[in-house]
Amino acid sequence: MKKLLFTLFIISGFGLSAQIKDYDWKKMNPDQRKEVINNLSPDERKALLTQFRNNMVVDMLDVAPQDKAEFTAMYNEYLDNQKHIKSEFDSNFDPEKLSEDEAKVKLQQSFEVGQKLFDNRKKYAEKMQTVIPCQKVLKLFQSEGMMRDKMNEKKPHGGKKSTSGAKETP
């Protein structure tokens, strides 16, 4: 069943990738790239970003050409599982408005989700080592942390970015 789903995923990906790969992204200026991306459907845009991310990771890790497809499928599966696990925890709450019992439950849920994320990471680290060496798995996880840190730097807290640390008023 997994092989059938994987095959269907790859086939559908080739159809979409064929449309996206028609562009020479390196020769485009930023405005041209932006225009092309803005004209893509949300599904095409998501596929493009996934393709860019996968290419960047495969290049960074210098994955052997014969292992690229297997590694990419495994990496995407890992990320999908991580995303699914994260969705189990609703972090959209104000801790100060929770009762002591509600806060204990939320805290316990956060530990359980954290453990699931850790277990999933460990599982995929072992799986990935069947395709790439352990050093490259470490490099992948290290780069994930750096990318997450970079994204958090750019993400404004509270909806607006402020240099003073206090929220700006409209």
Side-chain angles (χ1 to χ4, degrees):
M1 183 65 176
K2 279 186 177 181
K3 287 186 179 187
L4 177 63
L5 288 174
F6 175 71
T7 305
L8 290 174
F9 174 74
I10 295 295
I11 291 171
S12 66
F14 281 131
L16 188 55
S17 293
Q19 295 170 347
I20 294 171
K21 287 181 181 178
D22 290 343
Y23 300 105
D24 189 353
W25 297 97
K26 292 180 182 177
K27 290 184 180 179
M28 290 181 168
N29 69 42
D31 290 335
Q32 291 171 321
R33 281 187 226 131
K34 188 175 182 177
E35 183 180 338
V36 169
I37 290 170
N38 286 337
N39 289 329
L40 295 174
S41 73
D43 287 339
E44 289 172 327
R45 196 173 304 136
K46 183 178 178 184
L48 177 66
L49 293 174
T50 299
Q51 180 184 345
F52 283 163
R53 182 202 62 219
N54 289 344
N55 290 345
M56 184 179 71
V57 168
V58 164
D59 289 344
M60 175 193 66
L61 297 177
D62 195 26
V63 176
Q66 67 271 19
D67 295 330
K68 284 182 181 180
E70 184 179 2
F71 172 77
T72 300
M74 196 178 296
Y75 180 61
N76 286 330
E77 188 178 299
Y78 159 73
L79 291 176
D80 288 344
N81 284 346
Q82 290 289 90
K83 186 176 180 180
H84 175 73
I85 293 167
K86 288 176 186 175
S87 73
E88 293 177 10
F89 184 74
D90 179 16
S91 61
N92 191 18
F93 63 91
D94 183 355
E96 294 180 12
K97 291 184 180 177
L98 298 177
S99 70
E100 185 67 17
D101 288 339
E102 291 170 330
K104 282 182 182 180
V105 168
K106 269 297 194 199
L107 188 59
Q108 185 59 39
Q109 287 173 345
S110 74
F111 292 144
E112 290 167 4
V113 168
Q115 185 64 49
K116 287 179 184 180
L117 289 168
F118 173 76
D119 292 343
N120 187 59
R121 186 175 183 165
K122 188 174 179 182
K123 171 185 161 186
Y124 277 91
E126 291 171 11
K127 286 176 94 172
M128 288 178 196
Q129 288 178 63
T130 64
V131 182
I132 60 175
C134 187
Q135 293 87 343
K136 291 184 180 185
V137 175
L138 277 170
K139 187 175 180 178
L140 171 67
F141 289 152
Q142 186 179 42
S143 70
E144 272 187 341
M146 291 183 330
M147 285 188 279
R148 186 175 39 254
D149 292 345
K150 273 286 192 211
M151 292 299 289
N152 287 336
E153 281 177 18
K154 293 181 181 183
K155 212 183 264 186
H157 297 284
K160 300 212 186 243
K161 196 163 192 163
S162 170
T163 56
S164 67
K167 285 188 184 177
E168 296 176 7
T169 54

